[in-house]
Amino acid sequence: MPLNFRLSQIRLEPRESTPLWLAVVAPLGAIVAALILCVPLVSWTGVSPFQSYGVMLKGAIGSGFALSETLSRATPLMFTGLAVAVAFRAKLWNIGAEGQFYMGAIAATLIGTGLITLPPILMIPLLLIAGFLFGGLLLLLPAVLKTKLSVDEVVTTLLLNFVVLLFVGYLVEGPLKDPSALGWPQAVPIIAQGAFPKLLGRSHLGLIIAIISAFLVWLLNDRAVLGYRMKAIGANQIAARFAGIPIDRIILATALLSGGLAGMGGVGEVAGLRGYLSLDLSPGFGYTGIIVAMLAQLHPIGVLASAFFIAAIYVGADAMSRAANLPSYLADVIVSASLLCMLVSILLTRYRVRWK
């Protein structure tokens, strides 16, 4: 919708098209601006900002171990970021990636702890398919309520997160509890045939699957009829309905795809990193996936970069906290500032500022 905004001497005019150089420079400028904005806060702690950022960079990618930690942290964020990006593109406000992530982990635990024994080449795809279905089916319920009863999916997906967490708590304390865990609330470990192969350090096969998923989503968005219809619904649902697009069916397909991607993230975390299901499996990957998707401007390839960036910030902040005795919550501040700056950069790519 065109926006003509006047504030004193400033006027915003919609751009007819965004120059390529601006589309590339704006996100990078937003990240640099966020780091500059956080300089006073870092300085306030009594440590040189340049030294702090240097330690953060070294702690994130300065060694093979650091890089593997960043990649392993980025992998679930790629899945949840893709899940959010797919849904938001069709204006399906999926706030429940956290619950869908855990549903994927539950699927991997149910099937991968001895229920079925297959060679790894069959077992791993089976776990991924099961996680995809569990995550997708969880989001189908809010999608059906949205299409049939116009129930706000923001509320239903958010509330389902808590329902799933309670269910996970029941499973790891009850039927799936590992009797050899000395009372610790965790499920029985995944069998060796279902464990993801390691790549570098703790990074695992899930990273490659996430990258492939991003390219497949990109192809879906740009080359497939379904992607075109999802984009049309997101742009203008009334016009899409007038054009004969089956709105309800596309929203349900979007929900299955979005929830499925988040569910695959849960499978990766259980079968690739932890080895078992527990209540602290995710420190909020589903919610952080919203930031990842917004930083990437809902572009699936951009999700890979933004997930890596956020993971590097968190891993680097931990290293900075240990080396310079700085509080680790600075990472949250930097990520939040990056998101705000990215929103400003999106505004500037869509509107031209006129000074009068």
Side-chain angles (χ1 to χ4, degrees), residues 16-277:
E16 294 181 358
S17 62
T18 303
L20 178 61
W21 69 267
L22 183 59
V24 174
V25 169
L28 299 176
I31 292 172
V32 173
L35 294 176
I36 293 174
L37 284 174
C38 292
V39 163
L41 183 62
V42 177
S43 301
W44 184 57
T45 62
V47 181
S48 165
F50 296 103
Q51 179 187 352
S52 301
Y53 287 151
V55 172
M56 180 185 290
L57 184 64
K58 185 178 180 182
I61 58 174
S63 65
F65 172 77
L67 183 60
S68 75
E69 287 298 303
T70 300
L71 291 175
S72 63
R73 186 72 176 262
T75 300
L77 293 178
M78 291 176 183
F79 281 111
T80 55
L82 285 172
V84 173
V86 165
F88 281 19
R89 183 181 171 91
K91 292 289 191 296
L92 175 65
W93 306 116
N94 178 17
I95 314 298
E98 184 80 357
Q100 295 139 28
F101 180 90
Y102 270 103
M103 285 302 289
I106 291 172
T109 305
L110 289 175
I111 298 175
T113 53
L115 178 66
I116 300 174
T117 303
L118 295 171
I121 195 170
L122 297 176
M123 193 71 190
I124 291 174
L126 178 63
L127 295 183
L128 289 169
I129 293 171
F132 184 94
L133 291 176
F134 270 54
L137 290 175
L138 182 66
L139 186 53
L140 270 185
L141 175 61
V144 170
L145 292 175
K146 173 186 173 69
T147 54
K148 302 301 180 185
L149 302 174
S150 300
V151 177
D152 189 344
E153 73 274 20
V154 172
V155 177
T156 51
T157 54
L158 181 61
L159 292 180
L160 276 176
N161 288 339
F162 300 100
V163 174
V164 173
L165 278 175
L166 290 172
F167 184 55
V168 171
Y170 162 73
L171 291 177
V172 298
E173 291 282 7
L176 296 181
K177 185 172 183 176
D178 183 5
S180 62
L182 302 177
W184 191 255
Q186 66 183 49
V188 178
I190 297 288
I191 60 176
Q193 292 88 339
F196 285 8
K198 299 294 183 185
L199 300 177
L200 173 66
R202 296 204 307 160
S203 65
H204 51 81
L205 179 65
L207 175 65
I208 295 177
I209 297 171
I211 294 172
I212 293 174
S213 299
F215 277 97
L216 290 178
V217 171
W218 174 66
L219 288 175
L220 174 73
N221 287 344
D222 282 19
R223 299 288 187 272
V225 175
L226 176 61
Y228 162 76
R229 289 180 169 181
M230 290 162 58
K231 183 178 180 181
I233 292 173
N236 190 320
Q237 193 169 123
I238 297 176
R241 191 183 300 277
F242 183 75
I245 294 176
I247 306 290
D248 292 354
R249 218 182 330 156
I250 299 302
I251 288 180
L252 294 179
T254 303
L256 184 62
L257 177 60
S258 172
L261 287 167
M264 288 170 63
V267 174
E269 202 66 2
V270 167
L273 191 66
R274 291 289 190 92
Y276 55 83
L277 173 66

